[in-house]
Amino acid sequence: MGTNYKPETICIQAGYRPGKGEPRVLPIYQSTTFKYENSDQMGRLFDLEETGYFYTRLQNPTNDAVAAKITELEGGIAGMLTSSGQAANYYAIFNICEAGDHFICSSAIYGGTFNLFGTTMKKQGISCTFIDPDASDEEIEAAFLPNTKALFAESISNPSLVVLDIERFANIAHKHGVPLIVDNTFPTPIGCRPFEWGADIVTHSTTKYMDGHAMSVGGAIIDSGHFDWMAHKDKFPGLTTPDESYHGIVYAEKFGKLAYIEKATAQLMRDLGAIQSPQNAFLLNVGLETLHLRMPRHCENAAKVAEYLQKHEKVAWVNFTGLKDNKYYSLAQKYMPNGTCGVISFGLKGGREVSIRFMDRLKLAAIVTHVADARTCVLHPASHTHRQMTDEQLLAAGVAPDLIRFSVGIENAEDIIADLEQALATV
Ligand SMILES: *Cc1c(COP(=O)(O)O)cnc(C)c1O
């Protein structure tokens, strides 16, 4: 796989190539299973001696076509879809961490990921140290332990909008012999391609901009193929020693650069089963076809809204990576020169109570537990997505108690601003 097509063409054409007389549009393979001529053929599939479909929990042609498109957009070597972004991040770590292992994660991450890594995976014996993404190299390196297996961060964090210095993080990870895993949900590969800066694995909540229409929950994991597991044989026994549940296969030997995704599919998907439904993959594919058109509009509209808010007397602060005075402007210019994303955050003078009252007055922008939708939407993380966090944890995640997360859609920017205007006039 892999062509020299540009992102716009990949969005439309990649992943599915019909032959003569076949459907022009990617079909939904709404089938749990696949038929074979004799039992030996099927046996060879189970032994991973041949590739082919046999059960949708492991692989499905609709899902594979969509995963291939995202893989090509990211410039990766192999990819897979998962049932959600949560499943993608869980698998991405669990594929290389076992009970007794440790990994390091930026503290500026999505609340759901924070719970998963900090609480749920801890119960499975995998510990995580959270570090400030703006800490010095020395401070981050001090978090590495002999059993550290990965470094994880979001390219643009949800909702604090910290832009990751991907190259710096990749260098730190590689110095300690572990891969850098980047959740690239917010900029999407239209805005940022972490593999070009040294990241090894990319994850997505496809629920967000990729689907783009708030229709289907989903996730994806993409491997660059760059990390040399065999060079760190002792650190990653799951990939470099025999898998007894697969007749002693050594993934890194048998599959080379494809080992990481092969293992995640053959072992984790087999045993944990967080597959994306082919129906959702179909909808995701429709969303991907316009990703390259929608992202620039999200960014443009967000810039207009951010500039409007910045000038408003009732607004205390505005955080948008595209504003010249933003702390992360230069990092955003380096890693996402064509635009970051449509998500901005801000607080109102008068604090938390005023911010909540303001949200209730919005008419066009809807209060929803969602972000990165074609429709403008708004959320108050401290009382919604991050409500389980203490004030200290909120601040470490870059979430001020008065922070309003405003996800600018692709409606007309003047209409979005008029909605803000009328709501601001009442508080
Ligand atoms: C939403 C989100 C997730 C979780 O994805 P789901 O599809 O909701 O499970 C993970 N990472 C980021 C950055 C997100 O925004």
Side-chain angles (χ1 to χ4, degrees):
M1 211 198 21
T3 60
N4 289 322
Y5 288 127
K6 303 209 165 37
E8 296 81 354
T9 311
I10 297 171
C11 279
I12 301 284
Q13 297 274 1
Y16 173 65
R17 283 279 154 150
K20 176 169 173 278
E22 289 176 357
R24 182 64 192 96
V25 173
L26 172 66
I28 306 173
Y29 285 86
Q30 195 69 47
S31 181
T32 59
T33 193
F34 302 83
K35 175 185 174 288
Y36 287 90
E37 300 293 328
N38 60 54
S39 105
D40 183 52
Q41 286 173 346
M42 178 88 87
R44 293 176 63 75
L45 297 178
F46 271 97
D47 284 348
L48 301 183
E49 285 303 326
E50 262 173 42
T51 54
Y53 296 99
F54 53 101
Y55 193 55
T56 285
R57 171 154 36 82
L58 285 101
Q59 281 186 294
N60 174 283
T62 307
N63 291 21
D64 281 0
V66 182
K69 178 178 281 189
I70 299 172
T71 301
E72 206 166 323
L73 279 171
E74 287 286 3
I77 191 167
M80 67 196 284
L81 300 187
T82 57
S83 57
S84 66
Q86 287 299 106
N89 284 333
Y90 178 56
Y91 280 24
I93 295 290
F94 196 57
N95 205 29
I96 49 174
C97 284
E98 301 180 359
D101 284 345
H102 169 259
F103 67 104
I104 299 169
C105 180
S106 163
S107 58
I109 50 165
Y110 174 65
T113 312
F114 184 83
N115 290 336
L116 170 67
F117 288 175
T119 306
T120 300
M121 291 187 79
K122 195 165 146 193
K123 292 178 190 163
Q124 299 180 322
I126 297 168
S127 61
C128 176
T129 301
F130 293 100
I131 47 102
D132 178 348
D134 293 329
S136 69
D137 288 10
E138 292 70 33
E139 287 171 295
I140 297 172
E141 288 190 43
F144 279 85
L145 302 170
N147 59 342
T148 301
K149 302 297 167 76
L151 180 59
F152 182 103
E154 293 176 4
S155 50
I156 302 179
S157 65
N158 175 9
S160 53
L161 306 177
V162 172
V163 177
L164 183 70
D165 192 342
I166 303 172
E167 209 166 20
R168 182 168 86 95
F169 267 60
N171 287 336
I172 293 171
H174 296 159
K175 187 171 164 191
H176 292 270
V178 305
L180 173 64
I181 305 176
V182 174
D183 181 333
N184 198 32
T185 296
F186 266 21
T188 81
I190 298 300
C192 177
R193 303 218 308 167
F195 293 155
E196 290 174 357
W197 304 100
D200 300 285
I201 290 145
V202 157
T203 60
H204 283 280
S205 166
T206 61
T207 317
K208 312 296 167 54
Y209 288 117
M210 283 192 170
D211 172 281
H213 302 79
M215 293 186 298
S216 54
V217 174
I221 309 172
I222 313 299
D223 183 11
S224 66
H226 292 158
F227 196 84
D228 187 350
W229 308 106
M230 275 311 207
H232 308 280
K233 205 169 182 300
D234 296 341
K235 263 196 165 66
F236 303 104
L239 284 155
T240 62
T241 62
D243 176 1
E244 295 313 331
S245 76
Y246 252 121
H247 330 296
I249 278 177
V250 177
Y251 292 100
E253 278 174 2
K254 188 164 174 71
F255 299 107
K257 286 179 178 301
L258 303 176
Y260 179 88
I261 292 294
E262 285 288 342
K263 174 177 178 289
T265 302
Q267 192 188 69
L268 299 190
M269 206 54 98
R270 178 196 64 185
D271 297 348
L272 301 172
I275 192 72
Q276 186 164 139
S277 80
Q279 175 84 39
N280 275 9
F282 174 85
L283 292 170
L284 169 58
N285 190 48
V286 176
L288 286 168
E289 289 183 1
T290 56
L291 185 66
H292 62 295
L293 296 174
R294 291 183 284 108
M295 288 312 291
R297 179 59 69 89
H298 278 292
C299 295
E300 261 170 53
N301 280 359
K304 288 178 188 165
V305 169
E307 276 160 30
Y308 163 80
L309 288 170
Q310 215 175 21
K311 289 190 199 123
H312 201 286
E313 56 180 19
K314 292 185 182 172
V315 176
W317 56 271
V318 179
N319 183 8
F320 175 58
T321 44
L323 290 173
K324 288 219 169 62
D325 62 357
N326 188 271
K327 184 179 175 189
Y328 298 101
Y329 183 75
S330 58
L331 280 179
Q333 286 294 301
K334 173 175 174 178
Y335 294 111
M336 305 145 196
N338 300 324
T340 52
C341 64
V343 184
I344 69 178
S345 62
F346 61 96
L348 298 182
K349 290 178 185 162
R352 191 179 176 137
E353 297 312 315
V354 174
S355 295
I356 292 174
R357 220 178 326 133
F358 156 80
M359 283 178 44
D360 290 345
R361 304 276 160 79
L362 290 165
K363 291 175 178 155
L364 187 66
I367 298 176
V368 295
T369 305
H370 195 49
V371 65
D373 182 9
R375 287 152 286 239
T376 296
C377 56
V378 63
L379 184 94
H380 184 235
S383 35
H384 305 141
T385 46
H386 289 59
R387 64 183 297 138
Q388 73 295 333
M389 285 193 183
T390 65
D391 275 4
E392 264 172 19
Q393 287 173 333
L394 276 177
L395 290 173
V399 182
D402 66 341
L403 183 150
I404 296 170
R405 187 180 73 185
F406 198 76
S407 172
V408 183
I410 54 176
E411 303 94 340
N412 185 297
E414 286 172 24
D415 291 335
I416 300 168
I417 290 171
D419 189 34
L420 290 165
E421 178 95 17
Q422 63 80 25
L424 283 167
T426 67
V427 297

